[in-house]
């Protein structure tokens, strides 16, 4: 099979885990490939992905080969594959705008954002880089709250004719105007806001669906999350959280039997704990009523390494997006979006989304 050529906007922890994973699974075969939902998707294996272009705005990453940049500060995710060979793809200076929160310049070197002194790229430069590199798919890994920067890269991808996977909670695939633009250009997109392999949102959704199926009325619930990576540091600026909270909340609301009042559901990032690094801890509580209106409650603590948890899903999203390109399918990929993303254009239960995605992979449905 030909390599799937990808470009990445934002070389942070999530990109680091993905790039490490592509190399890591080269030494595996299907019998010992732990941590994957699919070994083979339409003939494409996990290592059939090649990074050909990248953008960032941090001084410690711009100008470096991607293989070096993914391990540069302030990245702090687990290094499970330290020997990533040179990719030949140098990290280009990106577009700044709202791509970082100003408070992130006020921490120690291993935490803070250090802006590159290079002149920020303009649209023509990014479009040219995407075309010249031969990129087929652009992954958006920008920080939460990067509304304008995300739209900039999506616009560049449309002009360059490059498919998109929007891993962040800026609503593109689930926005009617943006969706129409991708449909009209015949360019596939999967979005919005990546759902972790086994994280807080998928666990919360699964339990909410279980309450529903077992006749338990869910009356109140919260999901509190703490972490120590730059994502959590960025989200200390509460003004950047609106779309993230909406994305995570709607992911749960979509599977409850009756929509909950806003005061009875709280889902979202809660605090930054530096020593946790890329470890994310979720505290989940659900209160409900059983047979005879008898009250019950459930409490759960989930601890996961945040970025590999994301990469385990993105590596499948990339291959599904490539299948769409191979098949000439453009526009929103509803099935993969519903399974891989928190805020897809159409919400389905995870069982339904799983079946739809398997049908998509098998060629039984177009999107």
């Amino acid at each position: 099979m030909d390599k799937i050529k990808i470009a990445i906007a934002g070389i942070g922890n999530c990109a680091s885990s993905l790039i490490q994973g592509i190399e890591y699974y080269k030494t595996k075969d299907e019998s010992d490939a732990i941590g994957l939902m699919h070994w083979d998707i339409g003939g494409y294996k996990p290592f059939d992905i090649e990074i050909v272009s990248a953008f960032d705005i941090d001084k410690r990453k711009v100008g470096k080969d991607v293989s070096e940049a993914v391990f540069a500060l302030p990245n702090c995710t687990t290094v499970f594959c330290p020997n990533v060979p040179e990719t030949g793809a140098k990290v280009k200076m990106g577009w700044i705008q709202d791509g970082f929160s100003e408070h992130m310049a006020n921490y120690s070197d291993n935490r803070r954002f250090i802006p590159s002194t290079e002149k920020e790229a303009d649209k023509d430069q990014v479009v040219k880089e995407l075309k010249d590199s031969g990129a087929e798919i652009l992954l958006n890994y920008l920080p939460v709250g990067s509304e304008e920067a995300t739209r900039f890269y999506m616009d560049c991808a449309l002009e360059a004719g490059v498919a998109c996977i929007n891993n962040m909670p800026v609503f593109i695939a689930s926005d009617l105007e943006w969706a129409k633009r991708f449909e009209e250009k015949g360019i596939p997109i999967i979005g919005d806001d990546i759902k972790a392999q086994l994280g807080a949102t998928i666990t919360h959704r699964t339990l909410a669906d279980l309450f529903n199926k077992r006749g338990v009325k869910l009356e109140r619930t919260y999901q509190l999350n703490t972490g120590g990576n730059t994502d959590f540091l960025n989200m200390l600026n509460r003004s950047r959280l609106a779309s993230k909270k909406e994305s995570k909340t709607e992911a749960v609301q979509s599977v409850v039997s009756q929509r909950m009042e806003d005061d009875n559901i709280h889902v979202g990032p809660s605090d930054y704990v530096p020593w946790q690094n890329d470890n994310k801890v979720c505290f989940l509580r659900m209160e409900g009523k059983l047979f005879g209106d008898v009250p019950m409650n459930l409490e759960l603590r989930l601890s996961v390494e945040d970025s590999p948890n994301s990469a385990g899903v993105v590596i499948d999203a990339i291959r599904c997006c490539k299948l769409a390109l191979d098949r000439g399918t453009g526009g929103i990929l509803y099935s993969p979006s519903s399974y891989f993303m928190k805020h897809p254009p159409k919400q389905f239960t995870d069982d339904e989304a799983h079946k739809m995605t398997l049908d998509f992979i098998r060629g039984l449905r177009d999107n």
Side-chain angles (χ1 to χ4, degrees), residues 3 19-34 36 39 45-48 80-85:
K3 293 288 186 180
I19 299 302
Q20 289 185 66
I22 292 168
E23 186 65 24
Y24 178 80
Y25 285 104
K26 287 181 181 178
T27 65
K28 307 292 181 181
D29 58 34
E30 189 170 7
S31 65
D32 68 347
I34 296 170
L36 292 169
W39 173 254
K45 308 299 192 301
F47 45 80
D48 290 327
F80 59 88
C81 184
N83 299 315
V84 176

Side-chain angles (χ1 to χ4, degrees), residues 61-331:
K61 298 173 184 177
V62 174
K64 304 273 182 66
D65 188 272
V66 169
S67 61
E68 183 180 356
V70 294
F71 297 116
L73 291 173
N75 290 5
C76 60
T77 191
T78 296
V79 176
F80 59 88
C81 184
N83 299 315
V84 176
E86 282 198 13
T87 64
K90 302 286 186 182
V91 179
K92 302 292 192 299
M93 180 61 184
W95 199 64
I96 301 174
Q97 290 299 309
D98 57 359
F100 77 101
S101 182
E102 290 183 359
H103 78 277
M104 293 181 68
N106 300 323
Y107 288 77
S108 60
D109 280 357
N110 64 337
R111 296 292 172 185
R112 69 188 175 115
F113 165 72
I114 303 178
S116 173
T117 55
E118 290 194 24
K119 184 180 178 181
E120 69 176 342
D122 59 27
K123 183 177 177 180
D124 289 342
Q125 290 172 315
V126 173
V127 170
K128 184 177 186 302
E129 169 63 17
L130 290 173
K131 288 181 175 180
D132 290 350
S133 67
E136 300 171 279
I137 303 168
L138 172 65
L139 275 60
N140 177 27
Y141 271 135
L142 297 181
V144 170
S146 303
E147 301 274 343
E148 294 303 318
T150 290
R151 295 186 185 102
F152 168 81
Y153 283 105
M154 296 298 103
D155 203 35
C156 290
L158 280 167
E159 186 163 324
V162 173
C164 290
I165 299 174
N166 181 32
N167 297 310
M168 305 310 297
V170 176
F171 304 141
I172 302 295
S174 50
D175 179 277
L176 290 176
E177 291 187 12
W178 278 100
K180 183 180 179 182
R181 292 181 66 186
F182 278 90
E183 294 280 359
E184 289 175 346
K185 285 252 187 177
I187 296 172
I189 179 170
I190 296 175
D192 298 309
D193 196 9
I194 195 71
K195 192 189 297 175
Q197 189 171 11
L198 208 162
T201 298
I202 187 66
T203 301
H204 205 165
R205 278 173 58 94
T206 300
L207 289 171
D209 187 47
L210 179 64
F211 272 53
N212 186 21
K213 288 176 178 175
R214 303 300 291 180
V216 181
K217 178 176 172 53
L218 181 59
E219 295 190 319
R220 287 179 294 276
T221 186
Y222 66 63
Q223 181 197 126
L224 309 176
N225 299 296
T226 66
N229 57 26
T230 49
D231 191 33
F232 278 88
L233 177 58
N234 167 62
M235 290 186 290
L236 286 180
N237 182 345
R238 299 292 171 177
S239 67
R240 298 174 70 89
L241 280 181
S243 59
K244 183 69 173 178
K245 283 183 64 63
E246 179 181 343
S247 176
K248 288 174 74 66
T249 301
E250 288 303 313
V252 177
Q253 285 275 32
S254 67
V255 294
V256 298
S257 58
Q258 184 176 351
R259 188 174 182 86
M260 304 176 70
E261 295 291 335
D262 290 345
D263 286 348
N264 291 330
I265 179 170
H266 176 85
V267 182
S270 302
D271 212 344
Y272 169 66
V273 182
W275 58 262
Q276 281 186 227
N277 289 320
D278 197 39
N279 179 244
K280 176 179 176 179
V281 178
C282 162
F283 300 93
L284 182 64
R285 181 175 175 87
M286 305 174 75
E287 299 180 1
K289 292 283 183 66
L290 297 163
F291 185 77
D293 278 349
V294 176
M296 59 78 64
N297 67 75
L298 176 153
E299 290 196 348
L300 176 147
R301 179 185 184 276
L302 173 67
S303 174
V304 293
E305 194 75 1
D306 202 20
S307 301
N309 212 5
S310 159
V313 179
V314 174
I315 206 162
D316 280 13
I318 292 169
R319 292 181 287 167
C320 283
C321 198
K322 174 61 173 172
L323 289 188
L325 289 169
D326 290 346
R327 296 167 181 170
T329 300

